[in-house]
Amino acid sequence: MPGSRRPGRSARRDHRPLKIVAVAAVLTGLVLVSLRLLPGSPMESTAASRWGDASTASRSTGSAVDRRSRPTPAPSPTPSLAPLPFADREIDLDIKGWYAWSVLDRRTGTIIGSDNMAETSTTASLIKSWIVADYLRRAAENGQTPSDAKLADATRIIRDSDNTRAEQFYNGVGRSASIKRLLSLCKLTDSSVADDGGWSRTNLSPRDAARLGNCIADGRAAGPTWTKWLINEMRLVRGSGDFGIRKAFPAAQQKKIAIKNGWIDRTREQEMHINCLAIGDTWTMGVMVRYPINMGYEYGMKNCQKITEALLGPST
């Protein structure tokens, strides 16, 4: 009938606003979620708090990755050093008198030795290696080149242990002042200048002998200009001075080992003082012995070698 309402139409019309509101709410929610997950969105930090640290999320896959759970990469292993030819062992040899020894690892600075390696004895000719080194280094520092005659004298001091020329060089480098430079430059801890100021009675320990060898090998003693020259001369030691440490090695290895030995009869003390210094590729060694004067030089010279042999490993 005109003017009358059909049943149900007004009810459908009344629900439309509710549907529109519901759809708008859903769309708004989807937009908010998208903004929270969208990189660079101002709402990204909110998403991170809900879904995990955004910096750990995989951008390519959309999956969250917690880096804190990853294992820490293992550091690269440090290459191990080849062992020295010497064993750090106690030795008890049938040797009369006093003896001591020390070995320095040139790669690490580690020192091993007998319990008494810090005790001193007089150096005799062993100290000539320092006297020549001191002369050569100081000449280079002063811009001087030693003459051929001077180098020939230095050769005689090292290879043949010439005493007269050693005394001349010692005077030239200031006598006891030179030994004081040795103690300072080579960082010796046990040794001292002789009471009479002479080079032969310089007091040195086996530990400091090994340090002196290292000081020569690393260039501090003779300086960069003359180190190779000096070491080569020490490899060419000959005659009565060629004994001790390097004699314990196979012949092929002996040629590569630089040495300077000392031997003297001390009438005041009624003792023989025999000392051995050697420089290898990765090590330096000092051996010192003292014993009654009537036993002669050869006894101590052989015992320097005997002590070294007792310390060498089976593969040497």
Side-chain angles (χ1 to χ4, degrees), residues 40-53:
S41 165
M43 300 183 69
E44 185 182 12
S45 59
T46 307
S49 66
R50 242 180 123 171
W51 304 102
D53 188 350

Side-chain angles (χ1 to χ4, degrees), residues 98-115:
W98 172 91
Y99 66 90
W101 64 273
S102 184
V103 173
L104 184 148
D105 188 331
R106 289 176 52 195
R107 303 162 300 181
T108 64
T110 302
I111 297 176
I112 60 173
S114 55
D115 291 341

Side-chain angles (χ1 to χ4, degrees), residues 120-131 161 179 182 188 191-192 194 198-206 208-209 212 243 260-264 266 273-277 287-288:
T120 64
S121 190
T122 65
T123 63
S125 293
L126 183 151
I127 202 66
K128 292 172 182 173
S129 59
W130 165 257
I131 294 171
S161 209
I179 304 304
L182 162 63
L188 307 190
S191 306
S192 61
W199 53 265
S200 177
R201 281 193 172 271
T202 300
N203 296 291
L204 202 70
S205 68
D208 278 351
L212 167 57
F243 64 86
K260 191 72 192 86
N261 298 321
W263 62 104
I264 194 167
R266 296 293 185 198
H273 290 196
I274 311 295
N275 311 300
C276 299
L277 166 65
V287 178
M288 307 182 87

Side-chain angles (χ1 to χ4, degrees), residues 238-259:
R238 58 199 174 192
S240 57
D242 185 9
F243 64 86
I245 296 170
R246 76 175 174 188
K247 292 294 186 180
F249 288 80
Q253 295 184 39
Q254 290 182 27
K255 298 177 182 179
K256 300 178 181 179
I257 298 174
I259 65 169

Side-chain angles (χ1 to χ4, degrees), residues 19-266:
K19 289 181 180 180
I20 292 171
V21 170
V23 170
V26 170
L27 291 175
T28 300
L30 290 174
V31 170
L32 291 174
V33 170
S34 299
L35 287 173
R36 290 180 177 184
L37 297 179
L38 182 65
S41 165
M43 300 183 69
E44 185 182 12
S45 59
T46 307
S49 66
R50 242 180 123 171
W51 304 102
D53 188 350
S55 65
T56 63
S58 171
R59 305 280 187 196
S60 59
T61 62
S63 59
V65 180
D66 187 356
R67 295 187 190 276
R68 291 170 295 182
S69 65
R70 291 183 179 181
T72 303
S76 300
T78 302
S80 58
L81 298 174
L84 295 180
F86 306 96
D88 185 7
R89 63 167 71 103
E90 292 185 10
I91 56 174
D92 185 9
L93 304 176
D94 184 19
I95 296 176
K96 292 183 179 180
W98 172 91
Y99 66 90
W101 64 273
S102 184
V103 173
L104 184 148
D105 188 331
R106 289 176 52 195
R107 303 162 300 181
T108 64
T110 302
I111 297 176
I112 60 173
S114 55
D115 291 341
N116 59 348
M117 65 179 172
E119 295 180 18
T120 64
S121 190
T122 65
T123 63
S125 293
L126 183 151
I127 202 66
K128 292 172 182 173
S129 59
W130 165 257
I131 294 171
V132 171
D134 196 30
Y135 166 77
L136 294 171
R137 187 194 70 260
R138 284 162 57 82
E141 289 173 350
N142 292 323
Q144 301 169 352
T145 300
S147 65
D148 290 343
K150 272 293 187 182
L151 289 178
D153 286 345
T155 290
R156 291 288 299 275
I157 294 170
I158 297 299
R159 296 191 197 183
D160 303 315
S161 209
D162 187 292
N163 287 334
T164 301
R165 289 173 172 84
E167 185 70 17
Q168 292 169 353
F169 271 55
Y170 191 57
N171 288 332
V173 293
R175 298 187 66 80
S176 61
S178 177
I179 304 304
K180 291 177 181 178
R181 286 192 293 271
L182 162 63
L183 304 182
S184 174
L185 184 63
C186 298
K187 301 186 184 306
L188 307 190
T189 59
D190 313 318
S191 306
S192 61
V193 178
D195 292 337
D196 64 3
W199 53 265
S200 177
R201 281 193 172 271
T202 300
N203 296 291
L204 202 70
S205 68
R207 178 166 64 180
D208 278 351
R211 287 169 173 157
L212 167 57
N214 190 49
C215 192
I216 292 171
D218 67 19
R220 283 175 292 161
T225 303
W226 293 103
T227 293
K228 288 184 179 179
W229 184 91
L230 177 57
I231 290 176
N232 184 64
E233 291 298 311
M234 293 173 69
R235 288 177 178 148
L236 298 174
V237 167
R238 58 199 174 192
S240 57
D242 185 9
F243 64 86
I245 296 170
R246 76 175 174 188
K247 292 294 186 180
F249 288 80
Q253 295 184 39
Q254 290 182 27
K255 298 177 182 179
K256 300 178 181 179
I257 298 174
I259 65 169
K260 191 72 192 86
N261 298 321
W263 62 104
I264 194 167
D265 53 337
R266 296 293 185 198

